[in-house]
Amino acid sequence: MKFYDTNALLDLQEEAFTEKFYISSVTLEELESIKTSSRKDPAVKYAARKVVHLLEDDSQYTVVPYDKTAQIFLDSKQLEATPDNKICACAYTVP
């Protein structure tokens, strides 16, 4: 099964929903932030709103939470807890 980050969902839009996939809880936070950011391009904000609307039907994806397991993974690799690293750590912890 595929694991999409924020940029992939913004780029793929409906195409991402043709098969089941995983996303990180961090991606959901980023999408919400993008929608209302005053520093983002209007086209990017629109893409984020569209993706969030598509995510309302949760039958095609599973959210992987950024939790203690993901944090332990980052710590073990001595990586900073940046959003990108958190998303990668979530992908690593997918069962």
Side-chain angles (χ1 to χ4, degrees):
M1 197 176 315
K2 295 181 179 181
F3 191 106
Y4 292 125
D5 70 356
T6 310
N7 286 327
L9 285 177
L10 289 171
D11 288 342
L12 291 170
Q13 295 286 316
E14 295 90 356
E15 190 179 323
F17 293 81
T18 59
E19 59 186 293
K20 292 186 181 253
F21 61 93
Y22 291 101
I23 60 171
S24 168
S25 59
V26 177
T27 294
L28 294 176
E29 294 168 8
E30 287 186 326
L31 288 169
E32 286 297 327
S33 176
I34 290 168
K35 285 183 352 180
T36 59
S37 175
S38 62
R39 297 184 303 188
K40 294 291 181 182
D41 180 86
V44 173
K45 290 168 64 168
Y46 177 71
R49 287 193 304 275
K50 282 179 53 181
V51 169
V52 169
H53 178 70
L54 291 167
L55 290 169
E56 289 174 0
D57 175 9
D58 62 0
S59 65
Q60 284 300 98
Y61 69 96
T62 300
V63 176
V64 179
Y66 179 75
D67 58 12
K68 187 175 182 176
T69 303
Q71 181 61 51
I72 290 170
F73 173 77
L74 285 183
D75 292 344
S76 73
K77 302 296 182 188
Q78 299 179 340
L79 295 170
E80 186 179 344
T82 64
D84 286 343
N85 286 345
K86 288 179 178 182
I87 291 169
C88 290
C90 289
Y92 181 80
T93 63
V94 171

